[in-house]
Every structure is written in C-alpha cells, then in structure tokens.
Amino acid sequence: MAEGHKRGLVWKVEAAEKAQGFFEDVLKLNGGDFEGKPFALLPWQKFVVGSLFGWYGMDGFRRFRNAYIETAKGSGKSPLAAGVGMLGLVADNEPRAEIYSAATKKDQAMILFRDAVAMVDQSPELSKRLTKSGTGERCWNLAYMAQGAFFRPISSDDGQSGPRPHIGLIDELHEHKTNTVVEMMRAGTKSRRQALIFMITNAGHNRMGPCWGYHEYGAKVAAGEVEDDAFFPYVCSLDEQDDPFADESCWPKANPSLQDADLPGMKYIREQVVEAKGMPSKEAIVRRLNFCQWTDAESPGSVAKCGAARSGISTGGTCADAVRWPVWTCPVPPT
C-alpha cells in the first residue's frame, strides 16, 4: 500500500507470522481425513490471518476491526473462524476476553463452536489451559481461567444483552434476514481496543439482507471507492464473463482451497454441475454455493451482477502468493 504510511498504517511482519504460527503449532483439524492433523494454513488463509493480525494503525492497535470473508462452500471458512476465536481466547493477551460464535439461532452458532471444542480436545496445550462446561456435543462454554476469558455460542434468540466481544465470529451471514446479530456484536466492541468482528459466508440470494450490503461494501473498499481502514474484505468471485458450467478453469476463483488442497474437491463440484445441468431447479443453489454467484430467489437461473468488473487482483507483498485468482481484498503490505 503505497499511501498507507501517510495514514499512519504500519505492517508488522512479526505479528502476522506469530498469528499464522499459532494455527500450525497449537491447533488441529477434525473430521474425516483431516482428523488430528495440524492446522497448516492454506495460502489464502495465511493472507487473511496475516493481514488481520499484522496491520496496525497510528494508535498502536490493530487496524482491522471488521472482516467479511466470502468464498464458495467447503473452502475451510468455519475452521478458520474457530481458529481466529481460539487465538483471541488464549494468545492475544486480552484480559477477560469474550469470544462468541454468533448466529440467529443457537443451532447455527453451535456448528462453528464445535470446531473450536474439537480443537481443544485434540490439543494437549489447550486442554490443560481451558475448562469445558458440558460434555461432548453438549459443551457450551470454554473458559480460560488464567485470564478470566471465555468462548461460547450466542444467538439473537437468546435474549442476552450486554456482550462485550473481543472476537465476534458470525457464521453464514447470507442466512441472516436482519443485521441484528452483527450490530449486537459490534455494539459491545466499543470498550475493546483490538476487537474483531469476523463474518464468514457463501453467496446468497436475498439482496435486501445484510449480507448483500457487506458484499457490495467490501467491493467498494477493495476498489478504493470507499476508504475504510478498519474493514477487511476478502470476497472470492468469478469474473462477469465466466461460465462455470462450461469452463472448469474458472472454478478456483470462487474456491480458493481448490488448487492447494482440492477442497471441496473437483469430483464433488463436477457432480454438482452435472446434476444442475439435468435439473434446472438445482442450478441456482449450485451456482450460489459452489461458485459464489448471487442468485435471484424468484428466478432460479438468474445470476446477480456482483460488480466483478470493479474487483481488483491483489499482487505483490509478503502474502501475495495467497491471491492468485481475482478476489476483492485489501491491498497487501508493501515489500
């Protein structure tokens, strides 16, 4: 960022590398072939984590307070979010940190939280430091007694008031009909100097909901149309001329884990495309979930114009290898 220093922005590579190292050194993945394996961040995940924890503002605190991450389904967003939460709980030196997995319904909030619980179960370092409330699938709280901190799920239907999150993790934003959960989290960050609201989502179909608003806002920030140094957008998108049903080469643009880890899998995506071609009623959901194409709910075959023409390709800098396909994201640190 050529002009960032004029606004007091500082890139701290040591802080970025420390955050990235926490994942591989402390955390383990769960489920299927990944059970028990160290959480080795993929290039795009390194870029996100490094950017969020490596950029600082002129006040000496971290630059980014809001992050919006949009990729195709199966890219590893939920484990990434759970890892960010665990970092905030035990490795961020925040007294009495409150970490929340937030959603409109408790069941949805529990999905991401269970990833965090599994990380604790598989890590001797975390297990000896954290206390679980509840057992198995019924675990509802992770407490870090030494810091008076906790990590728990929360939903708007809990009726809870007054959360003061250090890290607020918001899953499946495209399913939120209102901005209630986001604003509930953000309102509580005013007393935290380095709070982070970390939103993850697939593409949606409700362009009247909060997710479309953040999607469009993220595009404007990345394109330089809006200057917001506290907002980090990472939006994976096909280019306007791409047809994922005719050309497989564009698939990694919306699936950032596809080229490095075959996630969610070429075989799986091919199966989805074949079925969508034979069942027109399935086309919209396949385009939305697998290729980040916003669709019109009233017309299953209609794809929203997402503003791809104004998206930029981030190049250069320490984390540039993470961005080998068009995405909307903040510029990388200068070399």
Side-chain angles (χ1 to χ4, degrees), residues 77 115 136 152 166-167 172 183 217 221 231 253 284 307 313:
K77 297 186 295 295
D115 274 332
R152 65 180 58 154
H166 174 52
I167 306 285
E172 301 293 6
E183 292 305 320
Y217 186 73
V221 172
F231 190 88
K253 296 180 182 180
I313 303 176

Side-chain angles (χ1 to χ4, degrees), residues 311-322:
S311 65
I313 303 176
S314 294
T315 57
T318 307
C319 303
D321 286 344

Side-chain angles (χ1 to χ4, degrees), residues 291-330:
F291 303 116
C292 282
Q293 291 183 300
W294 281 73
T295 59
D296 187 337
E298 295 181 358
S299 179
S302 176
V303 179
K305 299 299 183 182
C306 301
R310 68 167 178 260
S311 65
I313 303 176
S314 294
T315 57
T318 307
C319 303
D321 286 344
V323 193
R324 284 176 276 169
W325 296 97
V327 295
W328 303 337
T329 186
C330 291

